[in-house]
Every structure is written in C-alpha cells, then in structure tokens.
Amino acid sequence: LQPIPPSLVGIKYRLGKRPCLKQREAQDDRVSCHREKRRVDICCDNHVVDENGIDANTHHDEEALECQRQQAFQVVIADAAPFTIAHRCNDSKWFAQMSLPRELSVKNGRLYQTPIKELDALRKNRVEYNDVVIDNDTITLDRVEGRTIDMELVIRPEDKENVYKKFALRFAQNEKFHTELSFRPYESVLKIDRKFSGTERALVHQRRCLVNGDANELKLRVILDRFSAEVFINDGEQVMSAVMFTEQEANGISFFADGAAKIDVVKYDLV
C-alpha cells in the first residue's frame, strides 16, 4: 500500500491523530462495557428501545431524560457520500467520503448533532464581523475565504417588519464555480445547491431542509473540508452535508440578500 500523500490528509485524518480523540474512543469503550448497568427500561407500544434505553418517538418524563443527559456522550461518523457519487475524477484512487465526527445529544426530546469539541483545537486565525447589513446586494468580507474553514453565521432581518426574501452564502467560489446555501424565511426552507460546483456527473444537486423557528434569527455553523461542506443548523438541531468536486483554487466566499439582512460572522481557518 502506498502512504497517503500529505496533500490528501484532511481534517478528519488529523483529528484521528490527536491524543484527546483517542482518549474519547477509549472512554466510549468503557461506557459500552457498563452501559447495561445504567440502562433505563422504557416500554411503550412495543417500540424498539435503543441502546441508551430511550425511544425518541415517545414522550418520556423528566427523570428519564435527565438520565439520558447524564450518560456519556455518543460519537458518530456519518457517510457523507456513497462510493458511486464520491469518485472525484476518472484517475483518482479515492472513493467515498465520511463526515466529521459528531457528538449526539438529546435536548427537549430531540436528537442534536454537533462537531466534536476536539475540532476547536484546529481553529486558527479568527476573523469576526458583527451587524453587517446586506441590502439587495452581494458582498465579500476581507479574510473570509478558504476551503478548510469553520464559520459561524447568524442571520437576522435588518427590519423585522420587512423581512428579507432570500439570503445566500456562496462558497468554493470563483468566476466559474460555486456552491450555494440559501434560506427563504417566509418558507422556513434552507437549501444547499451544488449544480454550479463543477461536477460532471448526473447527481442530485439540491437538498432542502425545513428549519424550525421563525425568521428573526437563523444560526448556522458551516465547516468546509476541501471536498465537502457540513452545515449545523441552530446549534445542531438539524444537519446538512454535501460533497463537491470543485477545484481547490476556487476558495472565495460571498454573501447575498434579496432584501435587507443583517449578519454576524466568525470564521476560523482549520490548520
């Protein structure tokens, strides 16, 4: 087997090399050995009880939910793209792609997914903007660019009585390519669209997600890792992901609003 070239070593590989992550994996092993002793027995309508003893489709009392919160965290790695989709080019030796490791938790009866805390150790070169108004325009922000970044974004209407019609974040962008993440507050729909990302395959280019809450504020955390984008919505209540085949030189990021929107941006390089 040939060694992995340094240019192909992404965030996920570097995370796996960190001692703190290995320590978490060891802790997970200990938890799994003793999980049965802490199991909460909940039986309702013959629902299948999961490994933590909580059925997410059933209402449970506060004692059961508190027991779930006290149990050790769960870490999962999702399949970001199957083999038939994630083949980057005809001469590539690499297939498929996994997501970043994610922590699972239960809040108010809902399953939340968030990036593992160890990712924070890779954050460098913080750039922050507050109360930036975009009024029927497309803008860029100085030093907000890149293909391996972690960006937190809060979107609000500039005037609550006159809510913007659409907001869009475009990334992996140059004069020819981009992938777009857009939100229409009147529909509460968040959409990711990669039809201009440069893929040569007949793929499903658009995915939509119905976002909970109102138009007053939307919180996004967008993590780009060279060939992928992962979007954590409202602190992990929902998650969207996409694999994109755009050339690495396309590293621009822009913001668009149809109407007047106000945004806060915090961006880190992942190094």
Side-chain angles (χ1 to χ4, degrees):
L1 295 176
Q2 297 180 353
I4 300 175
S7 61
L8 293 176
V9 178
I11 297 169
K12 305 169 190 64
Y13 180 78
R14 299 202 301 274
L15 277 170
K17 288 294 186 180
R18 291 189 171 269
C20 50
L21 185 56
K22 293 182 179 179
Q23 183 178 0
R24 280 189 162 214
E25 293 172 348
Q27 184 173 352
D28 279 347
D29 292 338
R30 292 198 299 273
V31 169
S32 63
C33 293
H34 302 287
R35 183 171 288 137
E36 291 299 323
K37 297 180 181 179
R38 300 201 311 265
R39 190 180 183 94
V40 179
D41 293 325
I42 297 177
C43 299
C44 182
D45 298 331
N46 296 321
H47 284 188
V48 177
V49 180
D50 69 11
E51 64 178 359
N52 288 316
I54 297 294
D55 179 3
N57 297 317
T58 307
H59 175 72
H60 306 295
D61 58 24
E62 288 299 321
E63 182 179 355
L65 291 175
E66 181 60 28
C67 181
Q68 169 72 359
R69 285 191 288 268
Q70 291 178 359
Q71 289 182 359
F73 52 79
Q74 301 294 311
V75 176
V76 299
I77 300 178
D79 188 357
F83 288 172
T84 55
I85 292 179
H87 188 197
R88 294 172 186 163
C89 59
N90 293 331
D91 59 350
S92 174
K93 299 179 181 179
W94 306 98
F95 286 84
Q97 186 161 335
M98 307 303 290
S99 73
L100 289 166
R102 302 172 182 176
E103 290 185 13
L104 303 183
S105 60
V106 176
K107 301 177 184 178
N108 300 320
R110 288 188 63 95
L111 180 67
Y112 280 68
Q113 302 180 61
T114 55
I116 59 170
K117 295 180 177 62
E118 282 81 0
L119 183 66
D120 294 349
L122 302 180
R123 288 173 153 193
K124 305 295 180 184
N125 307 324
R126 177 186 174 106
V127 178
E128 183 173 1
Y129 292 88
N130 293 298
D131 296 328
V132 178
V133 175
I134 311 170
D135 191 353
N136 291 298
D137 197 6
T138 299
I139 69 168
T140 59
L141 298 174
D142 186 36
R143 294 190 296 156
V144 177
E145 61 182 10
R147 289 290 291 272
T148 52
I149 68 165
D150 187 347
M151 182 167 61
E152 299 170 0
L153 181 63
V154 180
I155 308 149
R156 304 180 300 276
E158 201 275 331
D159 180 2
K160 293 183 179 181
E161 301 299 324
N162 186 19
V163 178
Y164 60 92
K165 296 179 182 178
K166 175 184 175 181
F167 172 85
L169 167 69
R170 294 169 183 148
F171 50 86
Q173 183 178 29
N174 60 12
E175 296 81 4
K176 187 176 180 181
F177 302 118
H178 72 266
T179 296
E180 180 176 284
L181 181 68
S182 62
F183 178 62
R184 296 183 182 273
Y186 287 109
E187 302 172 2
S188 291
V189 170
L190 185 69
K191 180 176 72 173
I192 190 164
D193 186 347
R194 58 181 179 180
K195 63 177 175 286
F196 298 113
S197 65
T199 179
E200 297 178 355
R201 295 184 173 219
L203 306 177
V204 176
H205 293 299
Q206 298 181 350
R207 295 290 188 186
R208 292 174 173 83
C209 177
L210 186 63
V211 176
N212 291 324
D214 55 32
N216 290 329
E217 183 175 281
L218 176 67
K219 297 175 66 178
L220 303 175
R221 183 175 177 183
V222 181
I223 300 177
L224 304 184
D225 185 10
R226 301 184 70 230
F227 291 103
S228 66
E230 298 183 46
V231 183
F232 297 83
I233 307 161
N234 291 331
D235 298 317
E237 185 177 38
Q238 293 155 294
V239 182
M240 302 179 74
S241 60
V243 171
M244 51 197 180
F245 304 91
T246 316
E247 59 191 32
Q248 293 300 298
E249 291 75 17
N251 66 347
I253 294 175
S254 65
F255 307 87
F256 163 81
D258 181 359
K262 183 183 294 185
I263 63 173
D264 299 334
V265 180
V266 179
K267 175 256 182 182
Y268 301 88
D269 294 323
L270 293 175
V271 297

